Amino acid sequence: DKNIGIKMPDSVPPTISKSFSALLPAFIIAFLFCIVRYLFTLTTYGSANQFIYSMLQKPLTGLGASPFTFVLFIILCSLLWFFGLHGSNIVGPVLDTLYSPALQANSEAILIHNTEPIHAITRNIIDIYGMHGGSGSTLGLVIALMIFSKRQEHKELTKLVLAPSVFQINEPVIYGLPIVLDPIFCIPFILVPTISVFVGWFFTAIVPIAGYVYIAQPWVTPPVISAFVATGGSIGATVIAACTFIFSIIAYAPFVMLANKQRVEEQ
């Protein structure tokens, strides 16, 4: 507003002049945050990062240790998808804040300290047990459509979406079927990942069959294989993931049949 900045001669091209105009506020901001950084060194926290961790992240991580908190986030993610919003991207930053420290702590316990991990819930437990093919475990839906659907448009859709679904890409299913605003498929879309993740947690923390998750596997890792990778080769976790995958197919099957019946009634 005050036109304060570094002025360049008229012979200098406008593009270069504009780049110089940002230097003064950049220096001011850098100077101010150097002061802030120095002030934090005078406190017991030592740094701004440690202050944020102590005041926010640590209490939130304690809150997130409950499986019911995690389940609520899964339900919220699925509900957002139902209304056409990218639930994973919206809920993801919250999950990262709450549960990535738990994954890091497990990694340090096993890989550095050679001790037992303590966190049964980590950021990617939802990926390996409750997102076979993406949000809602829709790879199970795709396979259920291939087996049980009598609708030609469903058969054609599965040919297009099967390969992406194997690698956790399911937007073509969500918007192509669609699941968005569909009162039939939204029910298993919400319930299947919720139940699957709870089962994964149960057989990790309560009945310790599955190994603890301590590796951040790439999100495109195919189902079941992702459990093997994320747990460092735990056969128990791989079997549990395979069971939740089979459960997703079985759970979606009645709703596929209901969609068949609805189609007949419309005709």
Side-chain angles (χ1 to χ4, degrees):
D1 290 342
K2 303 298 181 181
N3 198 26
I4 299 173
I6 300 175
K7 303 295 191 298
M8 302 297 294
D10 294 337
S11 59
V12 177
T15 304
I16 298 177
S17 297
K18 290 180 179 178
S19 65
F20 273 90
S21 67
L23 287 178
L24 186 59
F27 279 129
I28 294 173
I29 291 171
F31 179 73
L32 290 175
F33 274 91
C34 283
I35 295 175
V36 171
R37 181 181 184 277
Y38 172 73
L39 292 175
F40 269 108
T41 63
L42 303 178
T43 68
T44 56
Y45 297 105
S47 68
N49 289 344
Q50 186 60 41
F51 173 77
I52 293 172
Y53 176 79
S54 300
M55 299 301 294
L56 295 177
Q57 190 176 45
K58 194 172 182 179
L60 287 174
T61 302
L63 174 66
S66 168
F68 300 103
T69 304
F70 200 75
V71 163
L72 287 177
F73 283 120
I74 298 171
I75 294 173
L76 177 60
C77 177
S78 298
L79 285 174
L80 289 169
W81 274 117
F82 172 72
F83 289 106
L85 303 173
H86 201 299
S88 300
N89 283 354
I90 295 173
V91 178
V94 182
L95 294 178
D96 290 339
T97 301
L98 292 180
Y99 299 104
S100 291
L103 179 66
Q104 182 179 354
N106 282 359
S107 297
E108 292 177 355
I110 293 176
L111 301 177
I112 298 177
H113 304 295
N114 197 26
T115 57
E116 291 295 323
I118 60 174
H119 299 287
I121 299 177
T122 63
R123 172 62 181 91
N124 50 341
I125 191 174
I126 183 175
D127 299 322
I128 67 174
Y129 293 121
M131 285 192 176
H132 302 301
S135 297
S137 285
T138 50
L139 182 57
L141 170 60
V142 173
I143 295 176
L145 288 171
M146 295 174 65
I147 298 173
F148 300 105
S149 181
K150 298 179 180 179
R151 298 170 60 164
Q152 186 60 32
E153 65 270 27
H154 288 174
K155 294 291 187 181
E156 294 298 324
L157 179 68
T158 57
K159 297 176 183 178
L160 299 173
V161 303
L162 178 60
S165 294
V166 170
F167 297 98
Q168 306 293 94
I169 301 170
N170 69 340
E171 284 85 353
V173 182
I174 293 175
Y175 294 108
L177 189 58
I179 293 175
V180 175
L181 297 179
D182 188 295
I184 295 178
F185 289 116
C186 79
I187 298 173
F189 187 79
I190 295 173
L191 293 180
V192 168
T194 302
I195 296 172
S196 297
V197 171
F198 188 83
V199 168
W201 167 82
F202 182 84
F203 285 106
T204 302
I206 307 302
V207 181
I209 295 176
Y212 280 74
V213 177
Y214 68 97
I215 298 172
Q217 86 287 353
W219 68 271
V220 293
T221 307
V224 183
I225 297 176
S226 61
F228 183 84
V229 173
T231 56
S234 169
I235 300 301
T238 307
V239 171
I240 298 299
C243 290
T244 57
F245 177 45
I246 295 171
F247 163 71
S248 69
I249 300 173
I250 296 172
Y252 272 111
F255 295 91
V256 173
M257 297 176 187
L258 181 60
N260 292 336
K261 183 179 179 181
Q262 184 185 48
R263 182 67 171 180
V264 172
E265 291 175 351
E266 291 175 354
Q267 292 177 344

